[in-house]
Amino acid sequence: MQTKENIEIIFNYLNELYPNPQCELKYETPFQLLIAVILSAQCTDKRVNEVTPKLFAKYPTANELAVADLQDVENIIRPLGFFRNKAKAIVNCSKQLVENFNGQVVNDVEKLQKLSGVGRKTANVVTAEAFGADNIGVDTHIFRVSHRLDLSQGKTPYEVELDLVSALDGRQKNVDHFLLVLFGRYHCKAIKPNCENCKLTSICKFYQEKAKNQ
Ligand code: SF4
C-alpha cells in the first residue's frame, strides 16, 4: 500500500492531467443520471450519450418511464448492448422509485442498491456525482488502476472500495473517484498503458515489476 505522501503525489498528478474531473454522462437530474449509469454497464459513456437525449426527451422523470411501453424503450436504447435487459431494468427501476420514493433518487447507497439494475458501484457513483457523497464506485478502471498503483490489492470491487475509503481518508473521495476513472480510461489503459508519458513510474507497482522482469 502507498504512503500518505505518495497518495498526495498520485492525486496531484491526476489533478494536473484532469483539472476539472467530471462524469462524462449527460444528464439533468439525479434520476436521469441513475438511468444513464444503469445503461452504461458494458458500454461506453459516449454511446450512452447518443441514446439518452431521445430517451429523456420522451421520458424525463421516473413517473413517465414507469409507465412507458417496454418495446418503445427497447427501440430507443437498441444501439446499446443488452438493450432488452436494460430496458426492463430502467422501467422497473422507475416503477420502484415511484412506489417507494415518490419518484425521487435518494442519497442512500443501501436503498438505491435494492432498485432494479442498481448494484453497489452504480449506487456509489450516483450518490457521489448527484449529491457529492463521499463514495467511490469501483468500476473496471478504478479496480485496475488501484492495483497498478498499489492503492489496493483487494480481490473484489468491494474490497478495493474499502481500501480506497481508508487510503483516501480526509480527501474528497467523490472527486478522487472521477480522477481515477479518467486516468484509467485515457492514460493508464488496460492494454498499452501510457507509461512512457507517466510521471508515476517511480511509485507505480505495475511499472516497477515490469522493469524488474525486463
Ligand atoms: S506508470 Fe504506467 S501502469 Fe503505472 S500508473 Fe503510469 S501509466 Fe499506469
Side-chain angles (χ1 to χ4, degrees):
M1 292 283 278
Q2 297 284 6
T3 61
K4 280 272 169 211
E5 200 181 31
N6 282 351
I7 288 171
E8 281 301 306
I9 292 170
I10 291 168
F11 283 94
N12 285 345
Y13 177 52
L14 267 53
N15 244 313
E16 197 181 303
L17 291 176
Y18 312 105
N20 189 21
Q22 279 175 344
C23 173
E24 296 186 305
L25 292 166
K26 289 186 193 149
Y27 69 95
E28 284 181 3
T29 63
F31 165 72
Q32 293 182 359
L33 172 65
L34 174 64
I35 297 304
V37 177
I38 294 173
L39 294 178
S40 71
Q42 319 274 335
C43 184
T44 63
D45 288 0
K46 191 166 171 267
R47 193 158 263 238
V48 173
N49 288 338
E50 284 166 11
V51 305
T52 46
K54 191 172 177 192
L55 181 72
F56 296 150
K58 198 159 184 189
Y59 307 109
T61 71
N63 290 319
E64 282 102 359
L65 193 54
V67 293
D69 175 62
L70 192 59
Q71 191 138 32
D72 185 45
V73 177
E74 282 179 5
N75 286 339
I76 295 172
I77 68 165
R78 188 175 288 269
L80 309 181
F82 309 105
F83 68 93
R84 285 202 179 87
N85 285 343
K86 287 181 181 177
K88 218 180 283 168
I90 61 175
V91 169
N92 285 339
C93 176
S94 301
K95 281 182 187 156
Q96 292 159 348
L97 281 175
V98 172
E99 281 162 17
N100 302 314
F101 304 112
N102 211 15
Q104 301 301 311
V105 173
V106 289
N107 183 9
D108 186 319
V109 169
E110 308 306 323
K111 285 181 181 164
L112 288 180
Q113 269 185 266
K114 294 188 178 133
L115 297 169
S116 179
V118 180
R120 188 167 181 89
K121 184 211 81 178
T122 298
N124 275 329
V125 170
V126 170
T127 51
E129 168 73 2
F131 306 112
D134 231 5
N135 295 334
I136 297 182
V138 178
D139 68 357
T140 176
H141 299 300
I142 295 191
F143 191 86
R144 179 180 70 256
V145 169
S146 297
H147 280 82
R148 285 180 175 172
L149 282 171
D150 202 18
L151 295 169
S152 170
Q153 292 308 315
K155 290 189 174 54
T156 64
Y158 185 57
E159 284 178 13
V160 172
E161 181 190 327
L162 294 181
D163 284 343
L164 288 177
V165 166
S166 155
L168 305 179
D169 187 35
R171 296 183 51 88
Q172 260 194 295
K173 296 184 202 67
N174 59 326
V175 176
D176 290 344
H177 163 93
F178 287 113
L179 286 171
L180 288 170
V181 171
L182 293 171
F183 187 60
R185 193 175 282 169
Y186 299 113
H187 189 104
C188 188
K189 296 179 182 184
I191 302 165
K192 290 204 189 153
N194 191 3
C195 303
E196 304 78 49
N197 298 303
C198 186
K199 289 188 184 171
L200 300 176
T201 48
S202 65
I203 56 173
C204 175
K205 186 170 181 261
F206 178 87
Y207 184 87
Q208 293 296 328
E209 281 177 0
K210 200 167 68 172
K212 230 190 288 169
N213 294 329
Q214 274 171 358

